[in-house]
């Protein structure tokens, strides 16, 4: 163990046993299994020459000097500096590259958003913006910029913008000097002529102004006289108004004083009457109180006697009722204990029955689970044997469980007892001529004949299904079902019909 003291511009960074992170101090005891590092917080100058490009894509060099050091008034910043920068030499290439990278990056980004003219003319604003952006990046290292100095902008070889700008300024100055000489010569010659004309103009102007001033003075004198008379008249009117206002105020005050005197007289008379009434009321109160005390003494003595007798009677009745209540309470307690014992016995029986039911259901569930697993293994073995064809597995299960047989039985039961009735109609002419036979019949007549051939089967089917018959003007259906001859519909269009009734086994 030893005692360590840091210098005025130094801090101790202690790590090791008993310290979670890093401990900063100016002086401390260094215990075994601890390590102490002394680091300096003196600011350091970093001299850079940043090469950047403006918004017009013109390259230039920006010489700058930054004075950077740790922020010693902020413990968090000082801790970050002790962790990240202090282990390295502040003048090392590593630290210089970190600072240079931050400054170059922010300077280039800012320069790319400004024109060359804005950078050149707004050097102060440019410096402040670079200072602010670089400081934001240095905060994560616990560093602060104490001073920043941006030197004169320098041309990059091959991009002589500032040189050309200086030559332009020189040429502009030479040309401006020539223009100034010519302009001075012109002003000298023109000035002589201008002075002569101005002399004559000024003489005429002075004469005219003298006459104007004379007329103005006369008018001002008359105006001043009228103003004085007006002010005198206004002052007189104001004084008269003030006198009238003072008289009115005096009259108001006299009336108020008279009113206050009368009110005071009335209030005095009323106050005397009010005091007299209050005294009379006090006398009556005292008399009433005396009579009340006398009556109260009489009634209190009688009430005390009655109270004592009533109390004795009430105590006796209370004692009797307490004994009766205690007897009833004991009886109720015994009944409650008996009911409690009965309820406990019933509860135990029900609990045993519920436990038995639970055990049975658990075993049933386990059986169902085992059955499901066995069926799953059975289906898996069938699927494997059939090559993974799900349709084949379904057909096998339906055949194995008699689904197809049951479907056939249900369908047979559905059609059992039905007696279908078939009607066979022959719509051709038995003699071979047909309704529109012969080549002489036109196509229109054949189409109409075809329509009329379809009517008898249609009417017969409607009658068989619904019992409805066609109107009399269209024809009549036969009354027998053994051998049916269709009605004569529209003369020669009657068609033969044979009614066939199959047996029940067909």
């Amino acid at each position: 163990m030893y005692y360590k003291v840091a210098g005025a511009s130094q801090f101790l960074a202690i790590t090791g046993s008993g310290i979670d992170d890093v401990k900063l101090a100016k002086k401390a005891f260094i215990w075994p299994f601890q390590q102490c590092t002394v680091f300096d917080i003196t600011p350091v100058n970093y001299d850079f020459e940043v090469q950047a490009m403006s918004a017009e894509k013109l390259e230039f060099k920006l010489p700058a000097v930054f004075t950077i050091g740790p922020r010693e008034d902020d413990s968090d910043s000082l801790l970050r500096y002790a962790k990240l920068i202090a282990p390295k030499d502040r003048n090392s290439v590593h630290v210089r590259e970190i600072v240079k990278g931050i400054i170059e990056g922010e300077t280039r980004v800012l320069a790319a958003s400004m024109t060359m003219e804005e950078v050149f003319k707004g050097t102060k604003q440019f410096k402040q913006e670079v200072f602010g952006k670089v400081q934001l990046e240095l905060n994560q290292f616990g560093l602060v910029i104490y001073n920043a100095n941006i030197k004169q902008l320098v041309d990059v070889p091959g991009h002589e913008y500032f040189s050309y700008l200086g030559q332009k300024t020189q040429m502009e100055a030479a040309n401006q000097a020539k223009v100034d000489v010519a302009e001075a010569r012109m002003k000298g010659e023109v000035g002589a002529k201008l002075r002569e004309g101005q002399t004559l103009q000024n003489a005429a102007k002075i004469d005219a102004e003298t006459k104007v001033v004379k007329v103005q003075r006369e008018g001002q004198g008359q105006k001043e006289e009228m103003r004085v008379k007006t002010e005198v008249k206004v002052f007189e009117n104001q004084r008269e108004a003030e006198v009238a206002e003072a008289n009115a105020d005096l009259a108001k005050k006299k009336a108020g004083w008279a009113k206050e005197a009368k009110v005071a007289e009335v209030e005095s008379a009323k106050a005397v009457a009010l005091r007299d009434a209050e005294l009379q009321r006090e006398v009556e109160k005292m008399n009433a109180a005396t009579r009340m005390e006398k009556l109260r003494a009489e009634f209190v003595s009688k009430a005390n006697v009655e109270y004592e007798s009533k109390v004795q009677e009430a105590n006796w009745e209370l004692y009797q009722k307490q004994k009766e209540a205690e007897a009833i309470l004991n009886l109720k307690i015994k009944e409650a204990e008996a009911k409690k014992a009965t309820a406990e016995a019933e509860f135990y029986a029900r609990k045993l029955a519920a436990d038995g039911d639970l055990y049975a259901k658990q075993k049933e569930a386990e059986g169902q689970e085992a059955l499901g697993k066995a069926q799953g293994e059975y289906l898996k073995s069938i699927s494997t044997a059939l090559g993974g064809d799900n349709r084949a597995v379904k057909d096998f299960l339906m055949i194995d469980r008699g689904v197809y047989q049951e479907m056939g039985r249900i369908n047979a039961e559905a059609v059992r007892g039905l007696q279908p009735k078939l009607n066979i109609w022959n719509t051709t002419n038995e003699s071979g001529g047909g309704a529109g036979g012969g080549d002489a019949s036109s196509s229109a007549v054949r189409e109409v004949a075809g329509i009329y051939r379809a009517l008898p089967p249609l009417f017969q089917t409607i009658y068989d299904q619904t019992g409805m018959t066609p109107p009399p003007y269209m024809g009549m259906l036969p009354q027998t079902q053994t051998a049916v001859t269709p009605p004569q519909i529209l003369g020669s269009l009657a068609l033969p019909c044979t009614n066939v009734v199959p047996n029940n086994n067909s």
Side-chain angles (χ1 to χ4, degrees):
M1 182 188 71
Y2 62 94
Y3 190 71
K4 185 72 173 179
V5 179
S9 62
Q10 293 177 342
F11 270 90
L12 302 179
I14 306 171
T15 58
S17 176
I19 299 173
D20 293 335
D21 191 7
V22 178
K23 177 182 177 181
L24 299 180
K26 296 291 286 185
K27 54 186 177 180
F29 283 100
I30 309 302
W31 301 92
F33 304 107
Q34 289 185 352
Q35 184 176 0
C36 176
T37 303
V38 181
F39 63 91
D40 195 354
I41 61 171
T42 305
V44 178
N45 289 331
Y46 295 96
D47 191 358
F48 302 111
E49 191 174 69
V50 182
Q51 185 170 346
M53 181 180 293
S54 66
E56 303 101 328
K57 296 181 176 56
L58 295 175
E59 295 183 2
F60 64 93
K61 290 183 179 180
L62 182 68
V65 178
F66 285 82
T67 302
I68 300 174
R71 190 190 297 274
E72 57 90 15
D73 57 347
D74 186 3
S75 59
D76 292 338
S77 299
L78 197 60
L79 185 62
R80 286 197 296 270
Y81 176 79
K83 290 180 180 179
L84 303 176
I85 304 298
K88 303 288 183 180
D89 185 3
R90 294 182 300 167
N91 295 318
S92 65
V93 177
H94 176 70
V95 177
R96 182 174 291 273
E97 288 297 328
I98 291 175
V99 177
K100 182 179 179 181
I102 294 173
I103 296 173
E104 286 184 350
E106 297 300 332
T107 304
R108 287 171 180 167
V109 171
L110 183 60
S113 63
M114 301 174 65
T115 62
M116 186 66 76
E117 194 70 18
E118 292 174 349
V119 174
F120 188 74
K121 290 185 177 180
T123 305
K124 184 177 180 180
Q125 181 182 359
F126 181 74
K127 172 185 174 181
Q128 292 176 352
E129 293 187 7
V130 171
F131 185 91
K133 293 181 180 297
V134 172
Q135 182 59 60
L136 289 176
E137 296 296 329
L138 292 177
N139 287 337
Q140 59 187 337
F141 296 100
L143 297 173
V144 63
I145 301 175
Y146 288 96
N147 184 32
N149 184 20
I150 297 178
K151 300 179 181 179
Q152 189 65 34
L153 301 179
V154 180
D155 287 325
V156 177
H159 297 82
E160 290 80 9
Y161 174 79
F162 295 108
S163 299
Y164 293 149
L165 191 62
Q167 296 177 8
K168 176 184 175 183
T169 304
Q170 292 177 1
M171 294 300 296
E172 288 178 352
N175 294 331
Q176 186 65 34
K178 294 179 181 178
V179 172
D180 292 342
V181 171
E183 186 176 358
R185 189 180 294 110
M186 180 190 69
K187 288 182 179 180
E189 295 176 355
V190 173
K193 298 293 183 181
L194 184 62
R195 292 299 181 185
E196 294 178 0
Q198 287 179 351
T199 301
L200 298 176
Q201 290 177 4
N202 290 336
K205 182 178 179 181
I206 291 171
D207 292 337
E209 289 178 353
T210 302
K211 293 180 181 180
V212 171
V213 170
K214 182 179 179 181
V215 174
Q216 288 178 349
R217 293 292 174 82
E218 293 176 357
Q220 287 178 356
Q222 295 176 0
K223 186 186 295 184
E224 187 68 21
E225 183 178 359
M226 293 296 294
R227 186 181 64 78
V228 172
K229 290 181 179 180
T230 303
E231 290 179 354
V232 171
K233 186 66 176 176
V234 169
F235 179 74
E236 291 177 354
N237 294 335
Q238 288 178 351
R239 294 301 299 171
E240 291 177 358
E242 290 176 357
V243 171
E245 185 177 0
N247 292 333
D249 291 339
L250 180 61
K252 289 180 180 179
K253 290 180 179 180
K254 288 181 178 180
W257 293 335
K259 179 181 178 182
E260 291 177 358
K262 292 180 180 181
V263 170
E265 292 176 358
V266 173
E267 288 180 351
S268 177
K270 295 294 182 182
V272 172
L274 181 62
R275 184 59 180 166
D276 188 11
E278 290 178 353
L279 293 175
Q280 185 66 30
R281 184 177 63 184
E282 292 293 332
V283 172
E284 292 178 356
K285 283 184 178 180
M286 293 298 294
N287 293 333
T290 302
R291 289 194 297 270
M292 181 64 71
E293 290 295 330
K294 182 178 179 181
L295 293 173
R296 182 180 297 170
E298 294 176 356
F299 283 110
V300 166
S301 60
K302 293 180 179 180
N304 287 333
V305 173
E306 293 179 357
Y307 171 75
E308 290 177 357
S309 61
K310 295 290 184 182
V311 167
Q312 294 297 329
E313 294 176 358
N315 289 335
W316 171 248
E317 292 179 357
L318 176 62
Y319 177 76
Q320 289 181 344
K321 291 181 179 180
Q322 285 179 349
K323 290 301 181 179
E324 292 176 357
E326 288 177 358
I328 294 171
L329 177 62
N330 292 330
L331 180 61
K332 296 290 185 182
I333 290 173
K334 296 298 182 180
E335 292 178 355
E337 290 177 352
K339 290 181 179 180
K340 180 179 179 182
T342 304
E344 289 178 352
E346 292 178 355
F347 173 75
Y348 182 72
R350 291 180 181 178
K351 182 179 179 183
L352 292 178
D355 291 341
D357 292 341
L358 176 62
Y359 180 76
K361 290 187 178 296
Q362 287 178 349
K363 291 301 180 180
E364 183 180 357
E366 291 176 358
Q368 293 290 339
E369 182 180 1
L371 179 61
K373 291 181 179 179
Q375 289 180 351
E377 293 295 332
Y378 176 64
L379 292 176
K380 184 176 179 181
S381 62
I382 292 174
S383 178
T384 303
L386 295 176
D389 189 354
N390 294 331
R391 185 180 298 275
V393 173
K394 184 183 73 173
D395 293 340
F396 174 78
L397 292 176
M398 293 181 72
I399 294 170
D400 182 59
R401 297 180 181 180
V403 177
Y404 286 137
Q405 295 87 330
E406 185 66 19
M407 290 173 61
R409 187 186 64 77
I410 293 172
N411 290 334
E413 291 291 334
V415 299
R416 178 179 296 177
L418 296 180
Q419 296 180 359
K421 186 177 182 180
L422 303 176
N423 293 329
I424 301 175
W425 292 83
N426 185 8
T427 57
T428 60
N429 194 340
E430 293 179 355
S431 61
D439 294 334
S441 298
S442 63
S443 61
V445 175
R446 286 195 300 270
E447 292 178 359
V448 174
I451 294 172
Y452 278 97
R453 287 193 187 97
L455 291 177
L458 178 62
F459 290 155
Q460 183 64 37
T461 303
I462 293 174
Y463 175 76
D464 293 339
Q465 299 294 331
T466 64
M468 299 175 61
T469 59
Y473 64 85
M474 295 186 67
M476 297 295 293
L477 290 175
Q479 299 300 324
T480 62
Q481 297 297 325
T482 56
V484 180
T485 302
Q488 299 295 326
I489 299 175
L490 298 179
S492 63
L493 294 179
L495 300 176
C497 175
T498 303
N499 189 3
V500 180
V501 180
N503 56 21
N504 292 334
N505 295 326
S506 60

